[in-house]
Amino acid sequence: MQDQSIDEYWMSQALEQARLAAERDEVPVGAVLINDSNELIAAGHNQPISASDPTAHAEIIVLRMAASKLNNYRLPGTTLYVTLEPCTMCVGALVQARVTRIVYGAAEPKFGAIESAHQLFSAGKFNHSPEITGGVRKDECSVLLSRFFEEKRQQKKNKTSL
């Protein structure tokens, strides 16, 4: 498989995780982490509501699973696929874990910390800078999020009109 088709494949796996999050009434963000042999290490999705944990973003869930599985908090030689541009907290965790590459789908205009609200890697202040690829299957990722929030707004509107 070529790099682009590999990215498309793994982002589809992250999208499956995002759909699981939506089914559980969590913001639909999914992530998978693979090794340099293109083998899955961990997969997860947003869980802050169900876990009562503000840090339970998809990226953090996956990093925790992978670190536990590999018995190492450092995860060099790995690629993270996530459906939404990581926030500041997640970028910090990805730097600490030494993830080699970050591939994301949709940009996050309010909290995105790679290209949108903040460009944390562009300052060159981190001791680790992963390779970044944005916009992989961005339309699918964006539509999933948009529909989720549209349904939430409609549910809220229906409740207030009763």
Side-chain angles (χ1 to χ4, degrees), residues 33-34 41 62-68 70-79 93-94 96-101:
L33 188 75
I34 66 166
I41 300 170
V62 167
L63 291 176
R64 287 177 179 159
M65 290 170 69
S68 178
L70 300 175
N71 199 31
N72 192 345
Y73 74 104
R74 297 277 167 89
L75 304 168
T78 60
T79 298
L94 292 161
Q96 293 300 315
R98 304 297 194 270
V99 169
T100 304
R101 185 168 177 242

Side-chain angles (χ1 to χ4, degrees), residues 34-152:
I34 66 166
N35 64 20
D36 53 10
S37 298
N38 291 317
E39 299 166 329
L40 181 67
I41 300 170
H45 54 79
N46 267 9
Q47 300 176 33
I49 297 166
S50 59
S52 298
D53 179 357
T55 69
H57 290 195
E59 301 95 323
I60 303 296
I61 297 293
V62 167
L63 291 176
R64 287 177 179 159
M65 290 170 69
S68 178
K69 182 177 183 177
L70 300 175
N71 199 31
N72 192 345
Y73 74 104
R74 297 277 167 89
L75 304 168
T78 60
T79 298
L80 176 85
Y81 290 87
V82 61
T83 57
L84 185 64
E85 179 183 1
C87 70
T88 301
M89 173 185 70
C90 292
V91 164
L94 292 161
V95 168
Q96 293 300 315
R98 304 297 194 270
V99 169
T100 304
R101 185 168 177 242
I102 301 168
V103 180
Y104 65 91
E108 213 305 6
K110 290 183 181 177
F111 301 106
I114 294 176
E115 71 165 309
S116 299
H118 309 283
Q119 297 86 38
L120 295 181
F121 290 113
S122 66
K125 300 284 185 183
F126 291 128
N127 60 341
H128 171 73
S129 292
E131 179 186 333
I132 307 290
T133 303
V136 175
R137 298 182 78 160
K138 69 179 178 182
D139 292 339
E140 290 170 78
C141 296
S142 294
V143 165
L144 187 61
L145 285 156
S146 296
R147 284 186 183 152
F148 177 82
F149 287 114
E150 195 175 288
E151 288 173 16
K152 289 290 176 196

